[in-house]
Every structure is written in structure tokens, then in C-alpha cells.
Amino acid sequence: MKLNAFVLGLVCFACGVAVAAPRKPKAPKPLWPVANPGFLQGNFTPSTNQRLISGIFGPRLKWGDGRYDHHEGFDFYAFFDEAHPRGDHPVTCILDGVVTDIIDPPNPERTETGRKVVVTHAVPWSAYGAPREWGPVKSGYLHLSAIRVQKGQKLEAGDLVGEAGESGYTSTVHLHLNLYRAGGRDVNVNPARVFQPKLYPQAVTPLSKQTVEVQWLERDVEGGTAVARVLLPYNAYTLDGFVFEVDKDTRRAISFEYVSAEQRDKRDTGDVDLFPGLRLYPLRFNGGGTLEANNARSVPRGWPLARHPIRGGGVRLGFDLEARDVPKDAKSFAITVHGVGGERVTVKARGFEASR
Ligand SMILES: [Zn+2]
């Protein structure tokens, strides 16, 4: 009898008979897909030039104009060293699985994803706390310089998939890792669901009262706006979005995964009309310097950042949130920061630094 596949112990409420319930699938720790020397050091402290993840899931400011897109995966830093002067480090499979798709176009530079491999894993999303209907975890490895697997090939976690590169629309050598779930067309999932702080305590900082900082920047009573800035450690990768509450009105909300799943056609045009009553202004994160240095250049006029430059130092992840259609007599303001693991931190306003 294959009892190991089940646990007994649930009692059916209708008939009082013990029934077999499927055991909760175990969540294996995914392997880091690109070896990073810093990550292997026990006391490693991430810094600007040796980042573990150089691009996170969610809104990302594009250079040159006031728009942003929703980056739908993680970018893994591929450092340059003597053995890999072009950064073409081995890219390895994060979990056991089977290669289910390969995109290897003759002219990868003209494609968005470049050389790409998709692996379907045996482990279901429910092992990581997601709904059962999300199906199996799938991972996608993009912008490769070389592909070292074939369709249908079985892989174990840590097996070679290819080498990091810059094929497709990208400006630097790195690995872009996508995670997908079932749902119509495959839908992108925040990789933080598997690369969570519990499994990677050094690399991933959890959202908490200690790590979330909210500054209440300005209130414009006549204009009906209120602006706040949320600053996080840049390795708070589990961020899923915000609720900007005005007098208990919670409709000003954005979930980055929801944008990915439901708003695909709008996700590359910024947030205009995406979420009523809320505008989001992501601060520059991917530029590689401190926030001050990154944001000193070509900040679109009209952005809160132009009126409220970043104070203090450090490499942070930041967003300016603007509540719109704020009633003149609104009294209480609060922001809740949500993580993909269900974690949340709420900060209430005690007043604004500037008001008119
Ligand atoms: Zn990317």
C-alpha cells in the first residue's frame, strides 16, 4: 500500500469516517540559477556592485520618459571574472524537471527573449502556498548566450541549462528568470514565491516593520492628492504591491502579480488608468548606483521625486505612491505593503511634510 502518499487523520464531518487527505507537497529549496561568489560566502553583505538579484518582479522605470513597465521575472547578476570575462556563467536548473520548450531563433538579437529554455517541474505551486489550480511550477531562462539542453530532456536541480548572455532585448549580460503558472496562457509568477526569505535568509530580506519605511511627502487638498514614499531594502524581493487607504477606502490598490495575470495588454504603458485613484512612480533601481545618483538623472518633470529628492544614502528600493480623488475632508491615511507570501506591513500617517 502506498500509504506514504497520504496522511490519515481528517474526519469527514458528514459521516464521521476518517478519510485520506493528500499530504501537503514538500517545497524543495530552489537552487540559485547563476552561481554568485558572494552568495556562497556565509557573511556576505550585498552591495551595489555585487548584487544577488539585479532586477525584481514588478514596476520598473524605463529610461527617458515617464513610463514604466512591469518586469515579469528576476534578473540574476552574472558577474565578470577571469574565467568568464564575458559573464557567460553556467545557468543551472532551479528544481528537478523536464525541458518543455526551447526558443533558439536564428537571429536572437531581434527577439524579445533571445535564447530561451522552459522547464516544467514536478513540484506543484501549492507546495509554495499558492492555489492548487496554478499547476506545476515552470521556469524560463532567457537571454542565454548558448543552450545546452534539448526538448524532452530530464534535468535535476543544478543541471546545466545553458550559459548566461545578452541575446534578445537587453543591455547587459544577466539571466532573466521567469516563473509561470497555469491559467489561460501561462501567467508569470513572482519568483520570490520560491526564493523566499525562509529558504534564503541571507539573500532575501522579509518585509517587516523594521524593513519598510514610509515617508508622508505632501497633501494637496484642492488638487485632491496625497503623496507618500515607500522605501525598502533592495533585497526585499517578495514585494507584491500596495494599498493606499484614505479614510478606510481600500480601492487604491495594486498587486504586481495581478497586473501580470490580468492586465497584460496594459502592463507596458505604465499605470495610467490601470488602478483608479492611485498612481505609482517607481524610483530607479536597476541603474547600479545609489538611489540619489540614479534618480538625479532625467527624472520626469511632474514626478514627486522632482519635488522631493531622496534623502539619506544607501541602496534602496523605492516607490512614490500618489492617491488621487482624495476627498477634501479626508482625515486618515495609511499604506499597507504586501508581500507574495501573505506578509503585510501597515503604516499610518501622522501628518504630511508639506501641505497646501
Ligand atoms: Zn529581466
Side-chain angles (χ1 to χ4, degrees), residues 60 71 74-75 174 176:
R60 171 179 62 176
H71 186 234
F74 276 178
D75 290 336
H174 70 285
H176 175 106

Side-chain angles (χ1 to χ4, degrees), residues 16-63:
V17 174
V19 294
R23 177 183 287 166
K24 192 169 180 272
K26 195 167 176 284
K29 179 177 178 174
L31 293 182
W32 215 253
V34 181
N36 183 313
F39 184 64
L40 304 176
Q41 296 163 11
N43 57 356
F44 176 66
T45 305
S47 66
T48 314
N49 58 8
Q50 200 182 27
R51 292 170 296 167
L52 298 169
I53 293 174
S54 50
I56 67 163
F57 190 97
R60 171 179 62 176
L61 181 59
K62 287 185 162 180
W63 293 97

Side-chain angles (χ1 to χ4, degrees), residues 93 97-105 113-121 137-142 144 146-155 161-162 178 180 186:
C93 192
V98 177
V99 178
T100 45
D101 200 11
I102 285 182
I103 295 176
D104 193 2
T113 64
R115 294 187 190 87
K116 171 181 170 182
V117 172
V118 176
V119 180
T120 300
H121 304 287
V137 176
K138 284 185 177 185
S139 57
Y141 308 81
L142 281 63
L144 301 174
I147 291 174
R148 303 296 183 197
V149 291
Q150 293 178 340
K151 198 168 173 181
Q153 190 175 335
K154 281 190 180 174
L155 297 175
V161 169
N178 275 344
Y180 312 100
D186 285 343

